[in-house]
Amino acid sequence: MIPERRIIIIGGNAAGAAAAAKAKRTSPSAEVIMFEKSPFISTGTCELPYLISGEIPDYNKIVFFNEETFYSSKQVKVFCNTEVLSIHPGKRTIQVRNNISGTTTGYTYSKLIISTGSRARFPQELDDSLENVFSLKNVTDFLRWESYSQEYNPRKVLVVGAGVLGLEISEALKKSGREVLIYEKSPEPLSGSEPEIGKLIHELIVRNGVEYFTSILPPQYIRTQNKISHIKIDGRLIEIDAIFVATGFIPEITLVQQAGLTIGKNGGIVVSTKMQTSNSDIYACGDCIELKELITGQSAPIFLATIAKKTAQIAAENSAGGNKYLRPIVKNISLKLFNQVITQCGATAEQLKDKKFKIDIVSSVLPNLVPVMPGAGTVYGKIVYNKHDLLIQGACFFGQAETVAYSDIISVMIQNKIPLSELADTNFTYTPAASPFINPLTYLAAKALNNKR
């Protein structure tokens, strides 16, 4: 017999675990059950590259809970190695299979939260059925790489894709002592960021010994038995030992398609601001949904852990009787790469070129500390803003750890429609060992105001 309230969560990683814990806190009397088809729940996905480099020495350090500890800590029943086979919205039931025993069981729910996440996107020529082709989406992916690495000790590795994950994997492989090549179809890394950032990243990775190839046409992959043994690119035949594919992610929506829930034009589940799907008893969160971006007004999947957790908590609270809403998203992305920190917040100038209002740009290279202090260097900053009302539309920074704070300030300003002029009047903190005398944000704002005169 179904309890007074039973909330079921499908998917047990970042968003799913956050949703399960929040649902139980919001409604302590509810029965909360979470199903995860892999052996692991509540893992640190963003930390995976640091396992490759050895900076995190043991994958168990990023597995924060198992079935028993999650129940004892959160009072949520967890079933690992258990795959949800189907959802039946009309009956409010699901069918699940234990992938170890093969046993199939049906469950009835009061509310359902879908947190099926995303899967790695593979080019047509490559897939992980090949023995030396890898992705890095979860702990299982890392363990597969670790096993192969220990057996074959691959020395030369190709990374396909130069987005955030591809760049992080490239650095991790270099730190582990390997020779690294990147193939990216865009001319510069981190496609979709401001072009100056791409150029700076390109210079940075080459300076650190990573070879960068770009071409609209992909390399020719040459197979030997069940491995890729060579690639042919730019007229060169290059022997390789392994490939990491980092060409993006696809929302995992197989279950919801079968259940007849509405899918958006960019491949994610359509949800309301309360994370409710087209069925009022079913919520969704994390990588599998589409969210509206504040600046562009467009809806698309947003593959960021912070956003996954935020949507999970909203879905969980509302499934347990709450009334929480999500505001449109300001994308705020950061990347630490070879001792530099890169951030991109809001929209880029390219994304806004067809908008009705006129945008302007201000940029500069500035000190990140007082120049006489140890560790002093420079930070590149660029702000995109509405020339008419000075509202900030986006920004990017390339420097040290301070860039994260700059990007977070810009995110707050965009979200709350605070004009650029306020930065010129802000009293930023100053100490020679940790900050410059004139904060770069103040400088950029003053420069923009001078441009307006």
Side-chain angles (χ1 to χ4, degrees):
M1 180 179 178
I2 187 171
E4 184 177 344
R5 180 181 290 270
R6 175 187 280 167
I7 302 170
I8 291 179
I9 296 92
I10 303 175
N13 257 300
K22 180 66 173 179
K24 189 64 177 179
R25 289 197 303 271
T26 305
S27 181
S29 62
E31 181 184 25
V32 181
I33 305 173
M34 182 168 71
F35 295 103
E36 167 56 44
K37 66 179 180 180
S38 81
F40 303 103
I41 60 164
S42 190
T43 61
T45 305
C46 298
E47 292 85 352
L48 288 168
Y50 304 99
L51 290 170
I52 291 176
S53 67
E55 292 165 276
I56 299 175
D58 180 359
Y59 79 90
N60 287 294
K61 291 184 179 295
I62 67 165
V63 180
F64 305 119
F65 291 95
N66 58 31
E67 293 167 295
E68 292 76 20
T69 58
F70 202 83
Y71 183 78
S72 63
S73 175
K74 313 295 182 185
Q75 287 74 59
V76 172
K77 297 177 183 177
V78 178
F79 297 89
C80 290
N81 297 299
T82 304
E83 185 173 359
V84 178
L85 302 176
S86 59
I87 302 169
H88 307 280
K91 299 178 181 178
R92 289 196 298 182
T93 62
I94 61 171
Q95 287 292 119
V96 308
R97 179 183 63 213
N98 183 302
N99 286 333
I100 295 175
S101 68
T103 304
T104 301
T105 310
Y107 285 84
T108 304
Y109 61 83
S110 304
K111 301 293 180 183
L112 182 67
I113 302 175
I114 297 171
S115 178
T116 46
S118 58
R119 64 181 188 274
R121 183 195 303 273
F122 280 85
Q124 187 174 1
E125 304 87 348
L126 298 172
D127 65 73
D128 58 2
S129 66
L130 293 163
E131 192 176 348
N132 65 339
V133 175
F134 303 89
S135 59
L136 194 64
K137 186 70 179 69
N138 50 50
V139 171
T140 302
D141 289 339
F142 167 73
L143 292 176
R144 180 171 172 260
W145 160 257
E146 184 180 50
S147 175
Y148 185 87
S149 181
Q150 289 173 351
E151 183 172 357
Y152 295 103
N153 191 26
R155 304 310 303 163
K156 184 181 287 189
V157 184
L158 172 69
V159 178
V160 180
V164 171
L165 180 59
L167 292 167
E168 289 178 335
I169 291 172
S170 300
E171 180 187 21
L173 289 166
K174 282 297 294 183
K175 286 183 174 179
S176 69
R178 293 174 170 84
E179 186 178 347
V180 181
L181 303 82
I182 293 179
Y183 162 72
E184 165 60 54
K185 65 181 180 181
S186 299
E188 302 292 357
L190 209 61
S191 173
S193 65
E194 294 289 356
E196 298 90 339
I197 293 294
K199 288 182 174 65
L200 288 167
I201 292 174
H202 193 160
E203 293 169 3
L204 176 65
I205 61 176
V206 170
R207 193 162 63 244
N208 283 274
V210 174
E211 196 167 2
Y212 188 85
F213 293 91
T214 180
S215 171
I216 294 175
L217 296 175
Q220 181 182 349
Y221 299 102
I222 299 169
R223 297 190 185 197
T224 301
Q225 296 179 338
N226 197 39
K227 292 183 179 182
I228 302 294
S229 60
H230 296 78
I231 60 167
K232 191 172 184 180
I233 187 168
D234 287 347
R236 293 171 57 187
L237 185 65
I238 303 172
E239 185 176 1
I240 58 166
D241 300 314
I243 297 177
F244 267 99
V245 175
T247 50
F249 302 106
I250 305 169
E252 180 49 77
I253 56 170
T254 306
L255 274 174
V256 298
Q257 286 178 309
Q258 295 170 351
L261 303 182
T262 303
I263 305 300
K265 63 180 182 180
N266 289 303
I269 305 168
V270 172
V271 293
S272 69
T273 56
K274 297 176 70 174
M275 301 300 107
Q276 208 162 26
T277 69
S278 52
N279 182 288
S280 60
D281 292 321
I282 302 177
Y283 296 78
C285 57
D287 286 2
C288 59
I289 65 174
E290 292 192 4
L291 297 172
K292 184 177 181 181
E293 294 186 51
L294 178 64
I295 300 297
T296 64
Q298 296 175 343
S299 292
I302 299 178
F303 304 117
L304 294 173
T306 52
I307 303 302
K309 183 175 181 180
K310 182 178 292 187
T311 60
Q313 292 184 330
I314 291 171
E317 185 167 333
N318 292 334
S319 73
N323 191 33
K324 191 82 171 176
Y325 292 83
L326 180 74
R327 298 168 70 181
I329 298 297
V330 177
K331 290 180 73 174
N332 193 9
I333 300 168
S334 61
L335 165 67
K336 185 178 184 296
L337 185 68
F338 293 115
N339 297 316
Q340 297 293 125
V341 181
I342 303 103
T343 63
Q344 177 78 51
C345 180
T348 65
E350 176 67 20
Q351 289 173 316
L352 297 173
K353 67 179 182 180
D354 295 328
K355 295 294 180 182
K356 293 181 180 179
F357 57 77
K358 183 173 177 58
I359 63 167
D360 210 342
I361 293 165
V362 63
S363 65
S364 193
V365 177
L366 299 159
N368 70 333
L369 296 176
V370 176
V372 298
M373 296 302 297
T378 59
V379 56
Y380 170 79
K382 177 178 180 178
I383 297 177
V384 180
Y385 60 96
N386 184 332
K387 194 171 185 179
H388 173 68
D389 57 17
L390 296 181
L391 289 179
I392 300 172
Q393 307 300 303
C396 61
F397 300 94
F398 184 102
Q400 297 294 319
E402 70 279 341
T403 64
V404 173
Y406 300 156
S407 199
D408 286 344
I409 290 169
I410 295 296
S411 179
V412 171
M413 295 183 73
I414 294 173
Q415 188 82 67
N416 294 282
K417 300 187 184 301
I418 301 171
L420 178 66
S421 53
E422 289 297 319
L423 286 173
D425 293 328
T426 298
N427 180 28
F428 288 101
T429 186
Y430 163 64
T431 180
S435 60
F437 185 65
I438 299 176
N439 189 287
L441 295 180
T442 297
Y443 181 92
L444 291 168
K447 187 175 180 180
L449 292 175
N450 287 332
N451 291 344
K452 188 175 172 66
R453 294 190 181 101

